[in-house]
Structures are given as structure tokens and as C-alpha cells.
Amino acid sequence: MASTQPAFGGMFRQLIELGVIEINTEPLDDLIERRLKEFWENTSCPRCGHQHLMTSETRDRVRCRECNFNPVYTYGTPFHEKHLSCGEVLLAFLLYADTLLSINQIVPLLGRTYKTVHTAIRDVEAAIQRGFPVVWELLDQTIDGPTQVDESGRVCSGYKGQEPPRNSRSRGGSSRSGRSRWRGRHGDQLTLVAACRDSLRVIRGQRGIDYSGDLNPVVQEAEDLSQPLGEVWTDGLQAYREMERDHRTVIHKEWYVSADGVHINQAECLFSLIQPWLRKFRGLSKQGLEQAAHTFGIVRSLTLAGESVDSAIDCLVIGSFHSST
Ligand SMILES: [Zn+2]
């Protein structure tokens, strides 16, 4: 993990080493413990399948009255055997997903190895992605209005050892006049496609330089998360490609084309937010970058829906229990 730039300035790093920046995750540890135990009480035993699991406020172990299976309450979740407390695991993820700090910068704050923090973040991320659709559907909200779809004005890249391109954004021009590519030795390149509807934000990476302009996967995902879909708004260029595509596969009949693209400003706004955030992933693999972009959409959706850390915990817990069955 050699980095040419220090994660923090020297003085701030000294404060970390002096122990000035103390992190206390106890309230978060308690919150997660309570939530996990609630889920155990309402789920079936992973060993015998009976729904007779008992928890205790004072004990770390859950017990099945049927088969006596007694795992710790973190069993089967990303919190299990992490060398980090539950709260630290979630904190690592939230620092990664909800701030501009890179994993290299989060590591000294938590005082653990890079591998420990990285594994925790990736495990939480995978569980949250699995749990999000369930939690999103349970939220008390109505998603309506048109769905705005757009592709990112530049190709992000998991390149190594080079500076990102200057942001030569030309004012008043079209959304893609400032397009530039991050090129690296490994040539990992990615275009982002986003769908925005109400508080919902879906972001997916499209691999490769020969980007086909396929907006359907994100539209499909937006539909799954907010049915029925209704109108899809995009700008002229994509819609043209889409019409060509539609000759072969008619998926969405209601795509609406705006000549000047003014109706996709939600999507353009989303890209302006995600780009500084993605800059911290220089050197990340394509897969990692795709996953990170998708995570950004989930965290942004929960934020716009007025949701809190509790919903993130719910996504994580539901996602964990989904994978174990
Ligand atoms: Zn059992």
C-alpha cells in the first residue's frame, strides 16, 4: 500500500499518534447489538431451521431451544471475527461511504491494519447492497415522478500512478463537452450510468472503453425499486442510441427525449457529487470501483429519503441474514 502522498498532513498525523483523536463507538456498538439480537429473535435457527432462538441482554450468545446451537450474536454477519468492535466496523464503512476519506486515511484513525479495515468495509458493503432493496421497500415513502437517466461525462478509471485529468468543465455547454478519460497502465476504465427518481439514486458502472450506451440495467434497477416506473427522461444522444436498440429489444416504451437535456439535472447533480468522492479510489480495481459507485447511490438514496444510521444498520443486518440462508 505504498502511497506517494501522506494520508494526512504531518501535524494531523501527529495528533492521531498522540491519541488526541479518540474514537468512542460504544453507543454504536450498543445500537448494533440490540438490532442484531432483535433479528435473531425473529429468524430461524441456521442449524435446525426452527424459530426458537433466545437472546439475553447480558449475554453475547444466542441459544436455540431446539438444537442448543449457541452462536455469538454477530455470527454470520460482517461484524463476526473482525478484530474490530461492531461500531468500529460500521464506522469504517460510513467513513468510507459517507466522507471523502480514503481507506488509507481511515486506517490510522482506527489504528488497525489496512487489511482488517479493508475487509470490514468490503464485507459491510456487500451486505448493505444485498439488504438495501428490502429496507427500501419497507420505508414509508412514495417514489413517483419521472426517472432521469444519464451517463457520466467522463470515464473513471482504476488507474495507477497518474494524476486524474483536470476538470476542464466548459460552462453552458452540453453535459459531455468536458469529457476526459483517466488512463492508466492497467487501462481499467469505467463509465457510470445513473438513474434518479425522487429520492432514489441508482448508479452502475459500465465496463470498457467501447461504451455501448446501454442505460437499461440502471432503468431496470430503478423500476425494481420504485414500481411502476412511468416516464424515463434522458438526453438526446442516449435516447438516439436507445431507439436503435429498441428496434431489437423493446423494453421501455415511455422514454421521453428532451432536446436540451434540461430534464436530467438531477442526474448531472449526482455526477458532480460522486466525482470528488470517486477520486479517492485511484488504483482500485474495476470491480471495486463499480461496487463503490453502486454503494454511493444507496447511501445517497437513504440520505435523500431522510433516513438515518438505523436504516444503514437494517440494510446491513438484513443483508447478512439473507446471505446465510
Ligand atoms: Zn436450532
Side-chain angles (χ1 to χ4, degrees):
M1 289 305 135
S3 176
T4 50
Q5 283 191 319
F8 292 115
M11 289 193 194
F12 191 72
R13 180 173 279 276
Q14 198 185 346
L15 294 187
I16 295 172
E17 284 161 6
L18 279 170
V20 173
I21 316 295
E22 289 276 351
I23 289 171
N24 171 23
T25 58
E26 258 176 55
L28 198 53
D29 295 334
D30 294 345
L31 202 63
I32 295 165
E33 183 177 338
R34 273 203 305 278
R35 205 75 188 102
L36 278 174
K37 285 179 175 174
E38 273 174 37
F39 271 86
W40 277 112
E41 287 158 13
N42 292 293
T43 195
S44 50
C45 173
R47 183 160 291 173
C48 75
H50 284 89
Q51 199 171 328
H52 294 302
L53 291 159
M54 289 164 50
T55 63
S56 144
E57 266 185 45
T58 52
R59 296 178 61 228
D60 281 353
R61 296 210 169 252
V62 176
R63 194 173 70 81
C64 175
R65 278 182 295 182
E66 202 68 30
C67 71
N68 275 326
F69 184 46
N70 68 330
V72 288
Y73 67 87
T74 56
Y75 177 85
T77 75
F79 300 115
H80 196 50
E81 292 177 349
K82 276 294 187 293
H83 309 296
L84 293 165
S85 75
C86 291
E88 285 170 336
V89 168
L90 186 61
L91 176 66
F93 172 77
L94 289 179
L95 287 171
Y96 151 89
D98 208 25
T99 77
L100 294 177
L101 294 178
S102 68
I103 297 179
N104 274 318
Q105 291 166 320
I106 296 165
V107 166
L109 284 177
L110 290 173
R112 299 302 205 284
T113 65
Y114 182 91
K115 191 167 177 286
T116 297
V117 174
H118 181 265
T119 306
I121 289 171
R122 287 299 171 204
D123 287 357
V124 171
E125 181 169 55
I128 284 191
Q129 295 199 359
R130 281 193 302 271
F132 173 72
V134 178
V135 172
W136 186 252
E137 203 183 324
L138 293 172
L139 293 180
D140 183 24
Q141 60 172 349
T142 310
I143 304 291
D144 56 18
T147 302
Q148 301 181 10
V149 190
D150 195 18
E151 68 184 78
S152 63
R154 80 191 64 195
V155 177
C156 302
S157 162
Y159 80 114
K160 290 179 163 73
Q162 293 178 25
E163 285 303 302
R166 295 284 160 102
N167 189 354
S168 57
R169 195 181 185 84
S170 59
R171 298 270 161 214
S174 85
S175 65
R176 57 185 42 72
S177 58
R179 171 175 296 214
S180 53
R181 287 168 191 271
W182 289 5
R183 289 185 186 282
R185 267 174 273 151
H186 299 275
D188 288 354
Q189 302 208 25
L190 201 69
T191 296
L192 300 177
V193 182
C196 304
R197 187 185 194 202
D198 221 324
S199 55
L200 179 64
R201 299 290 180 270
V202 178
I203 309 173
R204 285 286 179 180
Q206 296 268 344
R207 290 172 190 225
I209 305 165
D210 297 323
Y211 172 61
S212 64
D214 186 0
L215 307 179
N216 284 316
V218 288
V219 174
Q220 187 61 55
E221 194 170 336
E223 180 164 28
D224 292 344
L225 291 164
S226 66
Q227 293 182 16
L229 195 59
E231 282 186 355
V232 176
W233 291 1
T234 185
D235 72 3
L237 183 58
Q238 289 124 359
Y240 176 71
R241 289 198 296 247
E242 200 54 45
M243 279 186 286
E244 285 187 315
R245 183 189 166 80
D246 272 352
H247 286 296
R248 299 193 306 275
T249 53
V250 181
I251 298 172
H252 294 284
K253 293 172 184 160
E254 296 144 316
W255 289 52
Y256 174 79
V257 184
S258 160
D260 54 5
V262 291
H263 295 289
I264 56 166
N265 48 14
Q266 272 185 348
E268 287 171 352
C269 171
L270 182 63
F271 286 132
S272 73
L273 289 175
I274 196 175
Q275 272 165 9
W277 185 78
L278 281 176
R279 255 173 228 136
K280 67 186 183 177
F281 294 112
R282 279 181 296 168
L284 200 70
S285 69
K286 263 189 305 204
Q287 292 83 349
L289 201 58
E290 283 177 294
Q291 197 176 22
H294 194 229
T295 298
F296 188 88
I298 288 173
V299 170
R300 189 75 192 142
S301 299
L302 289 172
T303 303
L304 289 170
E307 288 304 312
S308 59
V309 171
D310 298 87
S311 290
I313 296 173
D314 283 354
C315 291
L316 175 46
V317 172
I318 287 174
S320 306
F321 281 80
H322 264 226
S323 70
S324 64
T325 49

